Amino acid sequence: MKSKRAAAEQPEQAHSGRAPFSQDPHAVREPKENNLEMAIGHEVRAYRKKLGITVTDLAAATGISLGMLSKIENGNISPSLTTLQSLSRALGVPLTAFFRRFEEPRNAVFVKAGQGIELERRGTRAGHQYNVLGHIDNNTSGVIVEPYLITLTTDSDIFPTFQHEGMEFLYMLEGEVVYRHGDQLFQMQPGDSLFFDADAPHGPEQLVKLPSKYLSIISYPQQSSKS
């Protein structure tokens, strides 16, 4: 078993050989959702890449020139219904799929302090209080994110055997717990965080200082509506 201090020495090694984060959080995105041509172009490119075909392949399948396809994917031209029909047949998607990005709303959930909805999850039976801080279903990212505020008190039991799909991020707000992930133990105090693959057994192993509160954010792939 490894302590938090031992594990803390690993991040640099864990990231070695990997490219740095490529997404720029400060980049200004073009307003695709407010521009029909850009929205259509984004979907055409996305469906083409999903099939693993090149622009040349798509041009051959549709009879549309490479130049025209490039303009469509870049949102520089408004394609006719006939062109869109050819693209939908070649990509194997309904015609309406090209308008999804333009029509879908972008939602946000605001929760005032102390107003998170308390709900029952597996750990509730062990005296763990869960307050969900927001939920957006059927979003455009393809990922479901569940943010919880978890409170542990003297009525809480240790429960280090949670297992579920996806990734989980913990941020300690109050108190102190020893948290297990697989065969590792992490002594978590306010300001500490832990990010892990949630498929391994995990959960609080020791309740050192109570009450304890931590933020838990779970993310996993959004299930297809066709499944």
Side-chain angles (χ1 to χ4, degrees), residues 29 32-33 42-43 99-104 106:
R29 297 184 60 186
K32 295 181 174 68
E33 63 274 13
H42 178 275
E43 295 305 319
F99 303 96
R100 180 182 65 87
R101 188 174 176 84
F102 180 75
E103 295 177 339
E104 283 192 355
R106 302 297 187 265

Side-chain angles (χ1 to χ4, degrees), residues 80-88 93-100:
S80 66
L81 286 175
T82 301
T83 298
L84 288 176
Q85 187 175 47
S86 297
L87 288 169
S88 71
V93 298
L95 189 66
T96 54
F98 299 131
F99 303 96
R100 180 182 65 87

Side-chain angles (χ1 to χ4, degrees), residues 58-70:
L58 187 56
T62 59
I64 303 172
S65 70
L66 284 172
M68 177 70 74
L69 276 177
S70 178

Side-chain angles (χ1 to χ4, degrees), residues 95-134:
L95 189 66
T96 54
F98 299 131
F99 303 96
R100 180 182 65 87
R101 188 174 176 84
F102 180 75
E103 295 177 339
E104 283 192 355
R106 302 297 187 265
N107 297 318
V109 177
F110 176 66
V111 178
K112 291 287 289 182
Q115 293 184 6
I117 300 173
E118 187 172 346
L119 78 165
E120 185 171 330
R121 295 187 79 241
R122 183 182 173 195
T124 305
R125 296 191 296 272
H128 298 194
Q129 180 183 326
Y130 288 82
N131 286 85
V132 64
L133 301 180

